[in-house]
Amino acid sequence: GIQALNPTNEHFAELQQIRSFAEAYDADVVDLEPELHQVKRLIARLESNVGDGDGTSAKPDSLVTFVSFIDRYTGDAFHELHRLGKIAVALPVSTASCERSFSALRHIKTWVRNSMSNGRLSNVAVLAIERERTMSVSND
């Protein structure tokens, strides 16, 4: 669903591609459908006007440029689409903690420590992931 918000994707602004992502974040799909139709038309007009030399901006070439492009229309036309775009742009940043967790688990659960119980593994993983906080705790 997130990829379908990228203007360079072949499934750009297709409701059936975006629907599960939209429903996961409680978007109003009824309002989203005409927004998707209108944004496709707006982008198509941009593509046809690029060679005119009239100073209009070029077609957005990434999710970030697309979100900043529709930002000017947020209050009037693309409320749901803009909200989903902001979520999609911020989502990869929020997965860094998950990646850090898997990296820590890779270091903790080696073939030597393979017999560690799940409870102990979970406790050791929390200590490793939250290393800064762990170091500030007194041993007493």
Side-chain angles (χ1 to χ4, degrees), residues 97-131 134:
S97 62
C98 295
E99 291 175 17
R100 189 173 63 227
S101 300
F102 284 115
S103 178
L105 283 174
R106 185 174 41 113
H107 292 293
I108 295 167
K109 183 108 174 173
T110 62
W111 65 273
V112 174
R113 297 185 190 138
N114 204 21
S115 63
M116 189 182 305
S117 70
N118 285 337
R120 181 171 170 84
L121 176 64
S122 177
N123 293 336
V124 171
V126 169
L127 291 173
I129 294 165
E130 301 294 336
R131 184 173 314 162
T134 303

Side-chain angles (χ1 to χ4, degrees), residues 26-38:
D26 296 324
D28 187 355
V29 179
V30 174
D31 285 348
L32 184 63
E33 187 172 9
E35 290 179 16
L36 292 171
H37 177 72
Q38 288 300 327

Side-chain angles (χ1 to χ4, degrees), residues 1 4 11-23 29 32-33 36 40:
H11 298 291
F12 173 65
E14 291 181 7
L15 182 62
Q16 55 272 33
Q17 297 290 325
I18 300 172
R19 182 180 297 276
S20 62
F21 175 64
E23 288 172 352
V29 179
L32 184 63
E33 187 172 9
L36 292 171
K40 274 187 190 177

Side-chain angles (χ1 to χ4, degrees), residues 6-72:
N6 187 341
T8 60
N9 189 292
E10 63 181 291
H11 298 291
F12 173 65
E14 291 181 7
L15 182 62
Q16 55 272 33
Q17 297 290 325
I18 300 172
R19 182 180 297 276
S20 62
F21 175 64
E23 288 172 352
Y25 288 96
D26 296 324
D28 187 355
V29 179
V30 174
D31 285 348
L32 184 63
E33 187 172 9
E35 290 179 16
L36 292 171
H37 177 72
Q38 288 300 327
V39 82
K40 274 187 190 177
R41 293 182 64 202
L42 184 62
I43 298 292
R45 284 189 199 124
L46 281 177
E47 289 174 341
S48 65
N49 291 338
V50 167
D52 295 347
D54 61 355
T56 58
S57 57
K59 174 184 172 183
D61 58 355
S62 69
L63 179 59
V64 175
T65 56
F66 173 68
V67 171
S68 63
F69 172 74
I70 63 171
D71 187 43
R72 64 183 115 170

Side-chain angles (χ1 to χ4, degrees), residues 127 131-140:
L127 291 173
R131 184 173 314 162
E132 292 175 13
R133 206 179 266 180
T134 303
M135 298 306 273
S136 68
V137 174
S138 171
N139 289 336
D140 295 331

